[in-house]
Every structure is written in structure tokens, then in C-alpha cells.
């Protein structure tokens, strides 16, 4: 199994988040670090602070050396996919080829309402997301991209320079919608993340993904499958390791521990020790 740490940039100080990433970078059992893409906190004080995803991710990437870095996941409504692709290519270069590119359809109604962002009804939102993933993947892998969709139109578009990862950074798609999200995962994703699921919930969704993969002539084993676990500063790391083992037995490839405030580096090393038998 693989393990990662996630620090949502909500209700926290920049230095505390940076300390977590640098501590994680020093513990070899952890292979990745993640943030999230929201403008308002999702946990804790809803009126509290929340730093922007791409700025913090870039700064964290240049302050680490080993771990892969990514956002779990970038919301399509917030940025045109051509902008997302260009930022991803540049950050892949800056990070030395360590970027995982998280993409999602978006869901936070209040953020979109307050900022005047068009979230769209669900069907239209998923249609737009499907187009966005195609545009991003093409821009990151092809010299020229032309696309004539309902939401995005590109004509001979370029995204240069490309990053060091051949074909672009691995695309990570988050979510568990069985009709559309998992179908898009089967078509385009290198990595699928199901947030905060039990082993039984993961297995049920995995079966649906397997069905979509069969229809798309895609080998499901080519898709990394991950689940998030919430991790509080006072969590029992042995219990967390036990929960992780159960997810591994259910077929999960990677577990990502989403930290809860207040962030403390003190949990990183003990968790790493507790996980040693599962790697």
C-alpha cells in the first residue's frame, strides 16, 4: 500500500501546514502530500480562513524534495481548463515531475453562489467536467489541441513548455457518482479517489467502476484507487493503522490521511511507525 498526508488549507497557519509537509517528506513511508481546492473552510469555523489551492501547492512543492504533490481535487467551475493545464505543466516543471493533477466537477454551492460562479445543474455540470478533462489531458500531452464542445472551444491551442512527466501529470479524479463520475474515471483517470469510505463502501463503488472500465475497454488495474481517512491530532495511530489495513484488504491501493486542526507534526512519525507493516 501507499500512504499520503492531506492538509486542507483551512483555519490554519501557513507555517503549520509547511511544517507538516516537510516532516512528511522526511518519513519515507509516505509517498504523497495533498491540499484541497476551496475558498471557504469545510471543517471547523465556517467563517474562518482558507488559503487558495494552487498558490499554496506551488509553495509547498518547492519546499519539499521527495513526496509527490497534488490537490484533492481542483474544481472545474473555478478555472478554465486551459488555465488549469498551463498551471499544471508549469508546476510539474517546478516540482521536478512530482505533480499529481486532481480534477473534479465541483459541488460547493455556497462558494459558487457567493462568488457568482456558475456551478450548473448536475447533468450540465458533469457534461462540462467531461469536456474539461479531455481538454486538460490533450493540452498536457499534445502539441496542438482543437476542441469543439458545448462548454469549451479551442482551435490549435498550445500549452508549452510541457512538464517532465511523459503525457502529463497523472490525472486524479475524485468522487463516487456511479452514473457519471465513475464513467469519467474509467475513460480518463490514472488515479481515482473516494473520500472517507468504509471498506464495504469502497468495494461497492469499485464494482461499479469495474463495470464502467469493461465498457470502456479499460483495465481497472491501471487505475490507482485511494480512500481518505480523517486524522485528528489525538487519533490513536494503531487504530488508524488497523482501519488502513481493512481498506487494503478491500482492495484500496493508497490511503490518504486528511489532517484535522490544529495541525501538529507530532503525529507524522508515530503514524509512519504504525504503518510500517502495511507498506
Amino acid at each position: 500500500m501507499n500512504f499520503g498526508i492531506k492538509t486542507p488549507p483551512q483555519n490554519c497557519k501557513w507555517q503549520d501546514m509547511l511544517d507538516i509537509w516537510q516532516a512528511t517528506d522526511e518519513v519515507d513511508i509516505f509517498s504523497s502530500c495533498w491540499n484541497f481546492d476551496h475558498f471557504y473552510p469545510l471543517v471547523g469555523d465556517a467563517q474562518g480562513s482558507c488559503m487558495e489551492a494552487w498558490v499554496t501547492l506551488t509553495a509547498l512543492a518547492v519546499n519539499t524534495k521527495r513526496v509527490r504533490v497534488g490537490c484533492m481535487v481542483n474544481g472545474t467551475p473555478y478555472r478554465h481548463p486551459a488555465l488549469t493545464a498551463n498551471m499544471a505543466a508549469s508546476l510539474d516543471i517546478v516540482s521536478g515531475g512530482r505533480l499529481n493533477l486532481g480534477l473534479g466537477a465541483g459541488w460547493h454551492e455556497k462558494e459558487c453562489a457567493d462568488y457568482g460562479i456558475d456551478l450548473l445543474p448536475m447533468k450540465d455540470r458533469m457534461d462540462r467536467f467531461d469536456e474539461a478533462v479531455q481538454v486538460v489531458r490533450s493540452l498536457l500531452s499534445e502539441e496542438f489541441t482543437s476542441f469543439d464542445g458545448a462548454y469549451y472551444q479551442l482551435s490549435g491551442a498550445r500549452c508549452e513548455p510541457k512538464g517532465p512527466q511523459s503525457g502529463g501529470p497523472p490525472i486524479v479524479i475524485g468522487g463516487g457518482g456511479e452514473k457519471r463520475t465513475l464513467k469519467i474515471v474509467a475513460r480518463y483517470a490514472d488515479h481515482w479517489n473516494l473520500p472517507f469510505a468504509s471498506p464495504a463502501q469502497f468495494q461497492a463503488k469499485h464494482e461499479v467502476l469495474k463495470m464502467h472500465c469493461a465498457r470502456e475497454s479499460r483495465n481497472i488495474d491501471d487505475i490507482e484507487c485511494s480512500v481518505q481517512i480523517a486524522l485528528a491530532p489525538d487519533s490513536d495511530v494503531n487504530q488508524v493503522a488497523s482501519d488502513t489495513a481493512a481498506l487494503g484488504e478491500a482492495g484500496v491501493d493508497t490511503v490518504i490521511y486528511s489532517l484535522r486542526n490544529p495541525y501538529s507534526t507530532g503525529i507524522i512519525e508515530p503514524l509512519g511507525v504504525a504503518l510500517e507493516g502495511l507498506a
Side-chain angles (χ1 to χ4, degrees):
M1 296 185 73
N2 297 307
F3 311 108
I5 292 292
K6 178 179 175 182
T7 56
Q10 59 186 355
N11 291 315
C12 68
K13 295 179 180 179
W14 158 250
Q15 187 63 51
D16 291 342
M17 190 162 54
L18 175 59
D19 289 345
I20 290 287
W21 281 53
Q22 291 183 323
T24 303
D25 201 38
E26 296 296 324
V27 180
D28 287 347
I29 200 168
F30 298 108
S31 59
S32 61
C33 285
W34 308 79
N35 66 358
F36 78 10
D37 187 22
H38 288 284
F39 305 112
Y40 293 168
L42 303 185
V43 176
D45 181 6
Q47 302 297 317
S49 63
C50 191
M51 288 181 283
E52 197 276 330
W54 278 95
V55 172
T56 55
L57 183 61
T58 301
L60 291 162
V62 299
N63 279 284
T64 52
K65 299 177 180 178
R66 180 189 59 83
V67 289
R68 296 192 62 81
V69 301
C71 178
M72 190 69 76
V73 289
N74 294 283
T76 293
Y78 304 147
R79 303 166 194 89
H80 192 285
L83 173 62
T84 298
N86 275 272
M87 290 193 296
S90 294
L91 184 49
D92 199 33
I93 294 169
V94 168
S95 67
R98 291 185 290 131
L99 179 66
N100 293 327
L101 178 56
L103 300 173
W107 60 269
H108 201 297
E109 294 182 4
K110 182 170 176 53
E111 285 180 337
C112 290
D114 287 1
Y115 286 160
I117 296 170
D118 196 356
L119 183 59
L120 299 181
M122 184 58 73
K123 179 186 181 302
D124 300 322
R125 190 187 317 168
M126 297 308 299
D127 289 344
R128 179 175 63 183
F129 177 49
D130 191 302
E131 288 190 12
V133 178
Q134 294 179 65
V135 168
V136 168
R137 183 173 281 285
S138 180
L139 285 168
L140 289 172
S141 60
E142 305 296 332
E143 184 176 1
F144 298 100
T145 294
S146 293
F147 189 87
D148 186 17
Y151 299 94
Y152 305 111
Q153 297 82 41
L154 290 81
S155 178
R158 300 173 66 248
C159 175
E160 299 294 339
K162 302 285 195 289
Q165 298 186 84
S166 178
I171 288 181
V172 184
I173 292 179
E178 296 185 1
K179 293 182 179 180
R180 295 298 306 277
T181 300
L182 294 183
K183 184 177 181 179
I184 294 171
V185 170
R187 284 180 173 172
Y188 310 120
D190 303 295
H191 177 159
W192 165 55
N193 178 259
L194 183 63
F196 310 109
S198 68
Q201 289 169 331
F202 169 80
Q203 287 181 320
K205 298 289 186 181
H206 193 260
E207 285 300 312
V208 176
L209 178 58
K210 189 181 297 185
M211 176 190 69
H212 284 300
C213 284
R215 291 174 177 172
E216 298 292 332
S217 299
R218 181 89 187 275
N219 185 348
I220 194 170
D221 292 336
D222 292 337
I223 302 174
E224 180 180 355
C225 298
S226 66
V227 167
Q228 296 180 53
I229 291 179
L231 186 70
D234 59 352
S235 292
D236 181 340
V237 294
N238 292 317
Q239 181 61 53
V240 172
S242 178
D243 294 341
T244 300
L247 287 167
E249 291 171 2
V252 174
D253 301 308
T254 300
V255 173
I256 297 166
Y257 305 95
S258 184
L259 271 61
R260 297 293 180 254
N261 303 105
Y263 292 158
S264 172
T265 58
I267 199 168
I268 300 300
E269 187 172 355
L271 178 60
V273 171
L275 296 172
E276 284 179 353
L278 303 179

